[in-house]
Amino acid sequence: MKFLYFIMIFIIILILGKWRFNYFTNKEIASLAAASENDPAMPVTQQRIEALPLPVARWLTTTGMAGKHEIQSVRLKQTGLMKLKPSQKNWYQSNAEQYITVNEPAFLWKAEIKMLPFLKVVGRDLFKHGRGHMTIKIASLIPIVDIADNEKINQSTMQRYLLELPWYPSAALSPYIQWKQLDEFSAEATMDYNGVSGSATYQFSAEGSVEKISALRYKDSSKDAKLLECVGEVVESSRIEGIEIPTALTVSWMLEEGRFTWYKVKVEDIKFNE
């Protein structure tokens, strides 16, 4: 009987832990949404697009942004497969939800990763006001990572914002992003916001679709962490509300020993300016 009570109490603690995690992350999402709800969504004209370097202008035209209003916020749901280290044989299943704002660049990503049938890890990645904050907890309760507002996490979360920009392509027109053409099919975006800066390189197809995005990021925030190339490659694209976005991608770290593909992500649902 005592064992049954212990199991019941343990289950209740897990339920309360998950509820608490979702409660606070949903409050943060609501805060981001409230801050952006009155942002004006300007029309995306062909004239504005043509002011960008040729490969970027071709991409925005291909996405179908011309004639539409700017994307000021995005809410999406993802499923994915994840590995934590190159030697890991099996993939962990993950489910995630993300909210993004553009006028003031910010995002919150919350995920649940199934590591074992009885063990789940939750993670929250926040980028706001140019600052990053990452939290990872076992069973929604036991914190194993809680890093906020240091040079490495700030830079890494900004780079993530740039890597994911093809989900909100009109952000390419934002005043905090400057573009430089590298060749006929690639360009570099440099972002400078609230004292934090970063850049990412975009590779486009001849038709103008985005194929690959790469940026230098810190894989972790340890004292000896070094900048590594992080590469997102588009596997599949779809038109959502008339806008072409990547809906299946792989994300890899370029380590000294070679490529480590650690995340395969699929967009299951996405809403613009909701």
Side-chain angles (χ1 to χ4, degrees):
M1 186 63 72
K2 289 183 178 180
F3 179 73
L4 288 177
Y5 281 134
F6 173 79
I7 294 296
M8 288 174 64
I9 291 170
F10 181 69
I11 291 173
I12 290 170
I13 290 172
L14 290 181
I15 292 171
L16 289 175
K18 185 174 181 179
W19 176 86
R20 187 175 185 274
F21 175 81
N22 286 328
Y23 174 77
F24 283 106
T25 53
N26 286 337
K27 280 190 70 174
E28 289 171 321
I29 288 173
S31 175
L32 292 182
S36 66
E37 65 182 358
N38 294 320
D39 289 344
M42 302 295 290
V44 178
T45 63
Q46 195 64 41
Q47 184 178 16
R48 292 179 68 193
I49 290 175
E50 290 174 357
L52 296 168
L54 178 61
V56 186
R58 187 191 299 124
W59 166 54
L60 279 190
T61 301
T62 298
T63 63
M65 280 305 315
K68 294 182 173 60
H69 281 78
E70 294 172 335
I71 297 169
Q72 292 291 4
S73 66
V74 182
R75 189 162 195 157
L76 59 86
K77 294 181 180 179
Q78 315 163 359
T79 56
L81 297 171
M82 187 180 294
K83 286 185 177 181
L84 303 182
K85 52 186 178 181
S87 60
Q88 183 180 322
K89 293 182 179 180
N90 298 321
W91 292 86
Y92 297 142
Q93 293 180 346
S94 70
N95 291 282
E97 183 177 345
Q98 187 166 346
Y99 191 85
I100 303 134
T101 60
V102 173
N103 193 44
E104 179 180 318
F107 67 77
L108 186 144
W109 176 83
K110 64 173 184 175
E112 185 177 81
I113 304 154
K114 185 178 181 181
M115 302 185 74
L116 292 170
F118 54 86
L119 178 63
K120 292 182 180 179
V121 171
V122 296
R124 187 272 257 143
D125 204 4
L126 176 68
F127 175 65
K128 187 178 181 181
H129 303 315
R131 303 295 181 262
H133 188 179
M134 178 181 289
T135 303
I136 300 174
K137 294 182 177 182
I138 296 175
S140 304
L141 293 170
I142 306 168
I144 55 174
V145 175
D146 189 12
I147 309 166
D149 194 11
N150 67 41
E151 179 184 353
K152 292 178 180 178
I153 196 70
N154 293 343
Q155 190 267 1
S156 191
T157 48
M158 174 176 281
Q159 297 293 65
R160 175 173 176 169
Y161 182 87
L162 283 173
L163 287 166
E164 296 177 345
L165 190 139
W167 283 335
Y168 31 99
S170 63
L173 297 162
S174 298
Y176 50 77
I177 294 179
Q178 302 298 316
W179 289 94
K180 176 185 177 182
Q181 181 171 344
L182 301 178
D183 57 38
E184 186 179 359
F185 300 114
S186 66
E188 181 184 65
T190 298
M191 180 172 173
D192 197 337
Y193 191 77
N194 262 12
V196 182
S197 61
S199 61
T201 300
Y202 297 74
Q203 185 73 39
F204 307 101
S205 69
E207 293 75 27
S209 297
V210 64
E211 292 183 325
K212 183 173 73 172
I213 318 101
S214 64
L216 293 177
R217 301 178 68 201
Y218 292 102
K219 189 172 178 290
D220 58 67
S221 61
S222 62
K223 186 176 180 180
D224 57 350
K226 298 179 181 178
L227 287 170
L228 298 171
E229 185 181 10
C230 182
V231 180
E233 294 178 283
V234 178
V235 177
E236 181 180 310
S237 295
S238 303
R239 286 200 174 269
I240 311 295
E241 299 179 25
I243 301 169
E244 182 181 280
I245 62 161
T247 47
L249 305 98
T250 62
V251 185
S252 306
W253 289 106
M254 306 306 290
L255 307 177
E256 289 183 4
E257 58 268 32
R259 176 189 294 265
F260 167 40
T261 297
W262 70 277
Y263 196 26
K264 299 178 180 179
V265 60
K266 185 174 182 181
V267 174
E268 301 292 349
D269 186 48
I270 188 165
K271 297 287 192 301
F272 302 122
N273 298 335
E274 187 177 55

